[in-house]
Amino acid sequence: MTQKFRLENGGLINRNKKLSFKFNGKTYYGYEGDTLASALIANGVHLVGRSFKYHRPRGFFGAGVDEPYAIVQLYRNNETEPNIKATEQELFEGLEAKSVNCWPSVNFDIGAINNFLKIFLPAGFYYKTFMWPKSFWYRVYEPFIRKAAGLGVASTKHDKERYEHKYEYCDLLIAGSGPSGLASAYAAAKNGARVILAEDKPRFGGSLLTSDVNIGNQSGEDWANSIISELKEMPNVVVKNRSQVFGYYDHNMLVMLEKVSDHLPKTKKHHPKQRLWYVRAKQVLISSGSIERPLVFGNNDTPGVMLSSAAKEYLKVYGVLVGKNPLVFTNNDSGYETAIEFKKNGINPIILDSRVNPQSEIIDEAINLGIKIKFSYVVVAAQGYKKVRSADIAKISDNKKQLGTVENISCDCICVSGFWTPTIHLASQSGNKTKFKEEIDAFVPGTSKQNETTLGAANGIFTLEETLKSSFTAGQELSTKITNNDNKISFPNVVEKKSSQHDKFWCVPLPKGKSYKRFLDFQNDVAVSDIEIALKEGYRSIEHVKRYTTLGMATDQGKTSNLNGLQLVSDIENKVVPAVGHTTFRPPYTPISIGAIVGREVGKHSKPNRKSPMHSWHEKNNAVFVDAGVWLRPRYYKHGNENLFEASKREAKNVRTNVGVCDVTTLGKIDIKGPDAAELLNRVYTNAWLKLPVGKARYGVMLREDGIVMDDGTTTRISENHYHMTTTTAQAANVLSHLEYYLQVVWPELNVNVVSTTEQWAGAAIAGPKSRKLLEKLFPNNDVSNEGLPFMGYTESELFGVKARIFRISFSGELAYEINVESDNGQFMWEKIIELGQEFQVQPYGTEALSTLRIEMGHVAGSELDGRTISYDTSLEGLISKKKDFIGKRSLNREAFTSGDRQKIVGVVPLDKKTSIPEGSHLVKDAKAPLPNKKLGHISASCWSVEHDNPFSLAILKDGKNMIGEKLFVMSPLKNKVIPVEIVSSHYVDPKGERVRS
Amino acid sequence: MLHIKCPYCGMRSQNEFSYGGDASVKRPELNKEISDEEWDNFVYNRKSLRGKHLELWQHLSGCRQWIKVERDTATHEIFNTYKADEEIS
Ligand SMILES: [Zn+2]
């Protein structure tokens, strides 16, 4: 198929590079430099989708970021992406795209029957209709809506593309490379300021690429190119195209999306698909330009009705005609520029101008070119279903209320211009209080809240000379303040045509007896009549009207609809627009892919992975790992075909009978030094610490100020003013911050320093009846007898020449020791333990066996210290000193904490001694009681007791103290289990604690 | 993202800090007899101020110092930052 609507010459496309692409399965050709939209229009394709609510045919309305219609599903390199604007997507060889929101096809769409049957869904339709009856939601409404609606399909596959995040600082961030962006960037760059200039389109220059102007004896486009090439050469300037500054956050932090590879068939190796820039700028210059406003008339959503500026852009940038028999409908001079471009390319447009008798240079030029102009004329309605075929037009009275006789003229497109709306999104996001500018019927930025300045058309300045002058000055003055340089730039001579005043008229009245839909919001199908209904039903606040009608709530965020919506509300309400106010602009300015937001933090990069120095040994010995916070810990070591249950049972059993070794490097370690170290511990822990001798360890529990247990662990006095604290793996970071808070903020008079040494020490726990024999082999020169190194004792030694710390502490309830060596020697220590432990049947054990051992001993851990329990609940109340004050003590006499039937830790054994008890299950008195069955407690941890060879669990149970011997039921609706159980002591093994002292 | 001046390290992004609540709250002295109400006010009761607020932040991924930040809770404007033990005039 030939490109029937492509001009022979002209445009900024590369005609030497022809590209093939597919749309809805059909192959077409375009050129390098095309967008998908320009290439489709060149091929005469004007029907690209169906509207969201009524499924009316949809074509192209704009040529860029403001596009409300042409949203497609894109296929690129075996991946698919929804919500892509055809007007932004650059063409590449092999591109494939499909229409969305139409079923079964764009040409025959079942949903559109709604349109023909005139079941027009009015404002609030969803609220009114789908609210009742409730059961209809699941059976009728939801399946229907799911089938009918939707703007594409998200891929369910893993996204193999790479998305990067980048942090950058600069003096000036300039958003938009039109005349104001270029002028301000140039002036600031010449002053030596660090400048980032961002342009969302592939080409720099903005409106200069399409306007007929002259700057310093160059065309606008040539001037833009020369400025850009100069800027690119400057070391203090970063120039980025395909980069949209979409969010303006606190303290001049802006976020910009750079589409690095979306214009290529495939992302290059080592390149990201997209890059998200976090830019902290000293000053921000917003040069985001303006978007043309639509005029509102009957059937103004018909394919072929489009913005006149878009028609001009297709002509001048892409060499594409949006029609060969165009009608231009305007209320200002911009429509004339488009008509003149048509005329220059051999096409004869007709201009309908709503104004009575406007006069300007541009109008004179159009008249001189012989263009047919009808003043005081309007388009009443577009005719044609899938494409404009003709227009009903009429003369309009001077007061814009009465239409003359309606006549029909043939045309194949209607280019509309309702004047210009400054793009104030970024300024508004920054907290700028915008103000209404009467002369242009639009909002412009007002008082800045952050260091932000809006320039040119975005600031409501529509003449090139004034734009350039004010932008040069702004770039110059702001950069001088930062760099103290003051290089003056000579201002270029500017030639542009003078415009006349626009007409405030924007909405064509309905002719008698006609009920054409006149659309305001083209993406969400919100018509004039919807706003009228909302107001009739009592909605007044513009925020409410927006939500009730969905005006401006589509993915285009109402870029073309907001202002006309406000105009309509203010017309009906007889208010001025500023009194109605506008809705809030929120980031992102354009839709951003989830991948870009997530960046590289996906899969195994979603969090840091910490590994112990013995990790490679564990790997080599068939360890199966588990995440413990950010650490990777061996869960069990697989022998043959063992599963988790079998392996952990074997490992735990071996600890109880022989000796096991466990990697405990991950435990939090905090080094505490200073003359007041003991005093700090005494305030932080619930028990007494002032009399702990050097060379001794003590177990301690710390509370939060509200009395809840925060963490537990042992702390060892290494020397007079030096302590070694251990924390649980999970709480290590919080405990350090907690200590720092009290030392720096609450008790700065304490002379103590704390520092994390978690990563400095590798730790191995040696546990089991044969652990002392193993220790004797490891440290032959030390007295490790029960007298030489008693329970909770500490000594320092050398492990075959390597400095080592030996703690006699136990988590398993067995005779046990913990050896610490400097991390670099961890692997050496581990291998020595395994090597010398062979004769004692040493086996490594993982976290699963570790849990089994601590559960059957009744040692509490994270699942009991869950942020809801106090010392009493976890049977740690014996460690509460009555003689001293400590953090959280004052909270312990709260009524709920001291009540007689307070929850307490207990042991739970199934009556059949066989059924495993799911963790998290509830304990109830009567399994058959009516719902809701009163919960008495919950299972916090479960294991298979290797000592008793039956299941055993710990539970936090109401009045647990008096429940020993009671028979209850464990209920797990999740696992569909009801298990009769007996409540026993939480100390299921060695209740007197003799083994650890043996 | 806020830009916070650590009195020790200079201007840093918010993601290096963690928030520590109202800096004007003073912990009751140890071993001091106080009413339940006084203790509750210390542990639980916080004003949710709109406007200027003196708050604690910790430069967690930096020098690990707790600092005081004077910030407007509505506009996020930061007026000044202080060391934890600095007297505020
Ligand atoms: Zn710092």
Side-chain angles (χ1 to χ4, degrees), chain A residues 24-40:
Chain A
N24 285 335
K26 205 166 159 186
T27 300
Y28 300 94
Y29 294 93
Y31 293 114
E32 187 179 75
D34 261 326
T35 60
L36 175 59
S38 67
L40 283 171

Side-chain angles (χ1 to χ4, degrees), chain A residues 1-3 14-20 28-32 91 93:
Chain A
M1 196 174 174
T2 54
Q3 300 181 34
N14 177 11
R15 288 175 190 262
N16 295 323
K17 193 153 181 205
K18 208 169 167 185
L19 304 172
S20 79
Y28 300 94
Y29 294 93
Y31 293 114
E32 187 179 75
L91 200 65
E93 177 60 38

Side-chain angles (χ1 to χ4, degrees), chain A residues 331-591:
Chain A
N331 72 357
N332 70 98
D333 284 4
S334 297
Y336 288 81
E337 294 177 19
T338 305
I340 288 166
E341 282 307 319
F342 273 118
K343 187 73 184 174
K344 282 181 181 167
N345 285 288
I347 302 290
N348 286 313
I350 300 172
I351 298 176
L352 302 190
D353 191 330
S354 67
R355 296 174 293 182
V356 181
N357 188 20
Q359 285 181 354
S360 74
E361 284 181 63
I362 299 169
I363 297 172
D364 288 345
E365 188 185 350
I367 293 169
N368 290 339
L369 282 168
I371 296 172
K372 193 171 168 193
I373 307 167
K374 286 162 106 71
F375 294 113
S376 289
Y377 255 82
V378 296
V379 174
V380 174
Q383 299 296 349
Y385 182 56
K386 286 177 190 167
K387 179 75 200 292
V388 171
R389 285 197 319 265
S390 65
D392 290 349
I393 64 168
K395 202 166 170 80
I396 192 158
S397 63
D398 289 0
N399 68 359
K400 313 292 183 194
K401 298 265 162 63
Q402 271 85 43
L403 295 173
T405 318
V406 175
E407 46 193 302
N408 184 273
I409 59 168
S410 90
C411 61
D412 63 355
C413 67
I414 302 173
C415 307
V416 294
S417 178
F419 206 49
W420 295 86
T421 307
T423 304
I424 56 168
H425 296 64
L426 285 177
S428 176
Q429 286 175 20
S430 82
N432 188 303
K433 290 264 178 294
T434 57
K435 59 181 188 211
F436 193 73
K437 197 171 174 186
E438 206 67 51
E439 307 94 272
I440 61 166
D441 294 317
F443 287 92
V444 291
T447 316
S448 299
K449 196 190 123 191
Q450 305 197 41
N451 294 335
E452 133 272 325
T453 311
T454 305
L455 301 170
N459 196 26
I461 301 170
F462 295 130
T463 67
L464 181 62
E465 181 153 13
E466 201 188 335
T467 291
L468 287 178
K469 268 195 177 141
S470 55
S471 304
F472 269 117
T473 308
Q476 161 81 29
E477 286 176 355
L478 291 169
S479 57
T480 295
K481 276 188 215 157
I482 296 167
T483 64
N484 293 320
N485 295 334
D486 199 4
N487 294 322
K488 291 266 184 281
I489 293 160
S490 61
F491 185 73
N493 186 41
V494 174
V495 182
E496 63 182 318
K497 292 195 192 77
K498 300 250 169 345
S499 297
S500 54
Q501 179 64 36
H502 77 284
D503 192 353
K504 288 189 183 296
F505 168 82
W506 63 279
C507 182
V508 181
L510 286 175
K512 273 204 182 68
K514 297 285 182 189
S515 57
Y516 299 125
K517 282 274 160 190
R518 294 171 294 170
F519 285 95
L520 292 168
D521 184 313
F522 303 102
Q523 200 179 1
N524 262 357
D525 287 9
V526 181
V528 170
S529 51
D530 294 313
I531 304 285
E532 288 168 350
I533 289 174
L535 290 165
K536 259 184 215 157
E537 293 185 2
Y539 290 88
R540 287 295 174 272
S541 154
I542 189 66
E543 295 282 0
H544 290 161
V545 171
K546 165 182 165 177
R547 280 157 184 80
Y548 197 56
T549 61
T550 72
L551 174 78
M553 285 173 67
T555 64
D556 70 341
Q557 285 197 359
K559 291 182 177 67
T560 51
S561 65
N562 275 337
L563 233 92
N564 283 341
L566 292 179
Q567 279 287 0
L568 180 61
V569 173
S570 62
D571 286 356
I572 299 170
E573 291 279 280
N574 245 326
K575 281 186 196 163
V576 286
V577 171
V580 175
H582 61 75
T583 53
T584 317
F585 294 103
R586 291 196 176 84
Y589 175 64
T590 50

Side-chain angles (χ1 to χ4, degrees), chain A residues 615-724:
Chain A
H615 188 83
S616 60
W617 189 95
H618 304 321
E619 268 181 334
K620 267 180 236 149
N621 288 273
N622 297 326
V624 176
F625 292 94
V626 62
D627 288 324
V630 291
W631 289 93
L632 268 184
R633 297 190 71 178
R635 192 172 186 191
Y636 63 98
Y637 300 81
K638 198 178 171 83
H639 283 190
N641 290 327
E642 272 178 345
N643 59 24
L644 165 71
F645 178 68
E646 292 158 350
S648 61
K649 226 163 93 169
R650 167 182 51 73
E651 291 169 9
K653 184 95 193 153
N654 190 57
V655 172
R656 294 262 183 255
T657 40
N658 298 307
V659 57
V661 54
C662 183
D663 186 345
V664 291
T665 302
T666 62
L667 282 184
K669 304 177 201 76
I670 298 170
D671 206 59
I672 303 174
K673 273 184 181 165
D676 296 322
E679 179 59 28
L680 173 71
L681 296 172
N682 212 41
R683 296 179 184 189
V684 165
Y685 284 127
T686 63
N687 49 344
W689 283 80
L690 296 179
K691 287 177 185 153
L692 180 72
V694 171
K696 280 283 188 184
R698 184 166 287 174
Y699 175 72
V701 175
M702 58 180 81
L703 309 186
R704 313 190 308 215
E705 291 285 18
D706 64 359
I708 300 288
V709 177
M710 180 177 178
D711 198 40
D712 69 339
T714 58
T715 292
T716 306
R717 191 167 192 177
I718 304 286
S719 66
E720 182 62 24
N721 294 327
H722 184 191
Y723 292 79
H724 173 82

Side-chain angles (χ1 to χ4, degrees), chain A residues 167 169 249-253 278 280 449 679 683 705-706 733 736-738 740-742 744-748 883-891 893-894 897, chain B residues 1-4 11-15 18 20 25 27 29-32 34-36 39-40 42-44 56 58 60 64-66 74-78 84-85:
Chain A
Y167 290 80
Y169 289 79
Y249 301 88
D250 291 308
H251 297 184
N252 262 29
M253 157 75 82
Y278 293 89
R280 187 84 69 176
K449 196 190 123 191
E679 179 59 28
R683 296 179 184 189
E705 291 285 18
D706 64 359
L736 183 64
S737 261
H738 180 73
E740 287 166 336
Y741 168 77
Y742 283 95
Q744 294 172 26
V745 180
V746 185
W747 303 311
K883 294 188 190 130
K884 57 143 194 173
D885 199 1
F886 52 84
I887 292 169
K889 186 176 191 182
R890 183 64 181 77
S891 290
N893 61 3
R894 306 191 71 84
F897 289 178
Chain B
M1 205 187 313
L2 306 185
H3 212 202
I4 302 169
M11 296 302 293
R12 298 300 178 104
S13 271
Q14 185 187 342
N15 53 358
S18 70
V25 174
R27 190 194 191 280
E29 278 172 44
L30 288 166
N31 300 306
K32 193 183 159 199
I34 52 167
S35 66
D36 285 352
W39 183 253
D40 284 352
F42 160 64
V43 178
Y44 298 106
L56 285 168
Q58 189 185 12
L60 205 69
R64 295 201 64 91
Q65 293 301 303
W66 286 84
T75 65
H76 296 319
E77 186 182 348
I78 291 176
D85 57 355

Side-chain angles (χ1 to χ4, degrees), chain A residues 680-798:
Chain A
L680 173 71
L681 296 172
N682 212 41
R683 296 179 184 189
V684 165
Y685 284 127
T686 63
N687 49 344
W689 283 80
L690 296 179
K691 287 177 185 153
L692 180 72
V694 171
K696 280 283 188 184
R698 184 166 287 174
Y699 175 72
V701 175
M702 58 180 81
L703 309 186
R704 313 190 308 215
E705 291 285 18
D706 64 359
I708 300 288
V709 177
M710 180 177 178
D711 198 40
D712 69 339
T714 58
T715 292
T716 306
R717 191 167 192 177
I718 304 286
S719 66
E720 182 62 24
N721 294 327
H722 184 191
Y723 292 79
H724 173 82
M725 175 185 275
T726 65
T727 73
T728 59
T729 303
Q731 289 293 334
N734 291 344
V735 170
L736 183 64
S737 261
H738 180 73
L739 298 180
E740 287 166 336
Y741 168 77
Y742 283 95
L743 285 172
Q744 294 172 26
V745 180
V746 185
W747 303 311
E749 68 278 9
L750 291 184
N751 188 355
V752 185
N753 272 307
V754 292
V755 66
S756 165
T757 53
T758 302
E759 293 186 347
Q760 276 63 37
W761 296 101
I766 300 173
K770 295 181 187 167
S771 57
R772 181 176 291 127
K773 283 187 182 141
L774 173 53
L775 206 67
E776 282 165 2
K777 293 269 178 191
L778 291 165
F779 300 97
N781 301 326
N782 283 67
D783 175 10
V784 295
S785 67
N786 205 20
E787 295 71 36
L789 184 58
F791 181 54
M792 296 308 258
Y794 166 77
T795 189
E796 287 167 12
S797 184
E798 282 204 350

Side-chain angles (χ1 to χ4, degrees), chain B residues 6-10 12 17 59 62-65 67:
Chain B
C6 171
Y8 303 92
C9 311
R12 298 300 178 104
F17 295 84
H59 194 190
C63 63
R64 295 201 64 91
Q65 293 301 303
I67 62 169

